[in-house]
Amino acid sequence: MLNINPILDDMILPISLIVSVVALLLLYVLRLRNYRLPVKYTAWQNEAQEIEDVTHDALVAAGSGYPTISIIIPAGQSSRDVTPLLDSLYAMDYSGKYEVIIADMGQNANIKDVYKRYSATHDHLRYTFIPATSRNIELRKLAITLGIKAARGEWIIVLSPDTVPESPAWLKHYAQNLTDDRDFVEAYYNYADDGSLLARRAILERVGEYVARLSALENGILAGCGHSNWAVRKSWFLENDGFADSLPITFGEESIMVNRHALAERSALLCSPETKLVEDIQSRRQLTRERVERLEVRHRLTPSVRRLYCKDGWASLMVYLYVGSLLLYIVKRLASDLPYAIYTIQCIYTDIACLLLIAAGITIPMLLIRKALRSLGERKYGAYLYWFALMKPFYAASISIRRLAHKQDFIRKYI
């Protein structure tokens, strides 16, 4: 009889290499190629900014070129000191008109004191608050809505009090993208890198989220929005009933609104460091809560967006399939040659192929991701990028378990 075991044994080596090739190609298609988008979008934005800088004086002299902007800062009891953000906003290099509206979510005495101090020297600072009787609507939703209704400008930019622009040209370059053919604009923001592993993971997660939104925009879909650094046309916000779609839950208002109502052809995502905000890193508990809420919101978006995020899950599977198949090849080769202290010359071509696959798996992701990080104004990470990719499925599983455990906590409580 024909002994099949030796035949199968001989086939393990080429099959494992074929599997690793397929896994690497699928990983590129499902995830890695999307990291080229920040580079492309940043190049477009930087080129437009250079043109805008050249024509700036002429536009200002003609009385055009910059819209009137209302910047809303929803601040509450848990917010950090808002003064760094105000100091940054009032140091902006911007020739147009703008106002800053502090939307107080809790009639905080500290926030009132800050408003009184700054309003004495800045006449375009305004203050609004939520009445104490407003208990049935999530405070942040209501604060932003009241701020938008009170705004004098047609364009509204919402900033978290915990975030600060990195560039004094932030507002000027942001305003350049608030054009008549758009209703919604979002700019990139992320945590400040303090060198800790906590910050590294949080930063790379936000980069991945933003890359996913860029990929969705390329496919004509709006896949949500961050809590800060986004702009909306006032009339468009009111016409679409603002945050009405997100009333059943206590968070995710901007993501649900944008996903269900904004049109890709009338929206823009900005990547340049000139329009970036930075935020101090939160505590581990706060970061976990943010991740759980982000996952819950993701499940409430349209099916096309959920399919987009499923691709990233398949990409994580390809990482392990690629690594596992190469490890199988290496172990099999060592097991066949080491006991006899020989080298099987017949395997030289497959060994070379294995080395090339290892080199490709190391260099391609590193180059693509580091270029994306550089274009976004982030620090280029080294070996941690590989550790993050390997741990990503376990991070996702942990957050999914927490989401299921706290699912009832997401529902708005009616009083």
Side-chain angles (χ1 to χ4, degrees), residues 12-57:
I12 289 177
L13 295 180
I15 288 177
S16 62
L17 291 180
I18 293 172
V19 170
S20 65
V21 170
V22 173
L24 187 59
L25 289 173
L26 288 176
L27 177 61
Y28 176 81
V29 171
L30 294 171
R31 178 187 291 168
L32 294 178
R33 66 173 178 174
N34 292 334
Y35 282 91
R36 299 169 59 184
L37 296 177
V39 180
K40 180 174 75 171
Y41 277 68
T42 299
W44 287 348
Q45 188 181 344
N46 288 341
E47 182 180 357
Q49 286 171 183
E50 291 176 3
I51 297 173
E52 187 266 350
D53 285 337
V54 173
T55 60
H56 169 76
D57 293 336

Side-chain angles (χ1 to χ4, degrees), residues 66-284:
Y66 289 111
T68 300
I69 298 174
S70 297
I71 301 173
I72 297 176
I73 306 173
Q77 298 286 353
S78 60
S79 300
R80 300 177 190 177
D81 186 8
V82 75
T83 55
L85 175 56
L86 291 176
D87 290 338
S88 178
L89 292 177
Y90 289 126
M92 283 290 129
D93 175 21
Y94 184 62
S95 301
K97 296 180 179 179
Y98 71 100
E99 64 176 354
V100 179
I101 303 174
I102 298 177
D104 191 348
M105 293 186 282
Q107 298 189 43
N108 192 324
N110 292 333
I111 295 175
K112 290 181 180 179
D113 291 340
V114 169
Y115 166 71
K116 291 177 181 178
R117 187 168 71 252
Y118 276 80
S119 61
T121 55
H122 300 88
D123 55 3
H124 50 296
L125 176 64
R126 300 170 61 199
Y127 174 86
T128 184
F129 64 91
I130 297 176
T133 55
S134 300
R135 298 182 298 172
N136 291 338
I137 299 178
E138 199 272 327
L139 297 181
R140 187 172 182 274
K141 294 184 177 78
L142 184 55
I144 296 175
T145 301
L146 291 177
I148 290 177
K149 289 183 176 180
R152 294 167 181 160
E154 172 63 6
W155 274 102
I156 314 296
I157 299 179
V158 177
L159 300 181
S160 168
D162 306 333
T163 53
V164 177
E166 279 199 320
S167 169
W170 167 80
L171 187 56
K172 179 176 70 174
H173 292 314
Y174 209 124
Q176 176 198 355
N177 296 276
L178 306 180
T179 54
D180 293 337
D181 60 343
R182 287 174 180 158
D183 298 317
F184 169 77
V185 177
E186 181 188 10
Y188 172 77
Y189 78 104
N190 212 326
Y191 294 111
D193 189 356
D194 62 3
S196 66
L197 291 177
L198 188 70
R200 290 183 184 184
R201 176 187 167 186
I203 289 170
L204 289 179
E205 284 176 341
R206 277 197 173 172
V207 169
E209 283 285 322
Y210 204 76
V211 167
R213 293 204 286 274
L214 288 173
S215 175
L217 185 65
E218 288 277 296
N219 291 282
I221 306 168
L222 272 298
C225 177
H227 295 300
S228 186
N229 216 15
W230 56 273
V232 67
R233 188 185 296 279
K234 178 178 179 178
S235 57
W236 179 87
F237 179 88
L238 297 176
E239 287 169 4
N240 288 281
D241 298 323
F243 301 134
D245 295 312
S246 62
L247 289 180
I249 61 172
T250 59
F251 49 83
E253 51 273 4
E254 50 274 284
S255 287
I256 294 174
M257 175 191 70
V258 169
N259 172 243
R260 298 188 183 181
H261 298 290
L263 301 176
E265 58 270 21
R266 292 188 60 84
S267 304
L269 297 183
L270 310 180
C271 298
S272 170
E274 293 291 333
T275 50
K276 175 187 173 184
L277 299 183
V278 290
E279 177 182 2
D280 289 337
I281 190 67
Q282 301 176 12
S283 67
R284 189 178 301 275

Side-chain angles (χ1 to χ4, degrees), residues 351-384:
D351 288 347
I352 292 174
C354 179
L355 291 174
L356 291 174
L357 280 171
I358 293 173
I362 292 175
T363 58
I364 293 175
M366 176 72 78
L367 289 175
L368 291 173
I369 297 175
R370 293 184 72 175
K371 283 183 179 180
L373 290 170
R374 184 170 63 248
S375 68
L376 293 169
E378 300 293 349
R379 183 167 68 88
K380 295 181 293 182
Y381 294 100
Y384 182 77

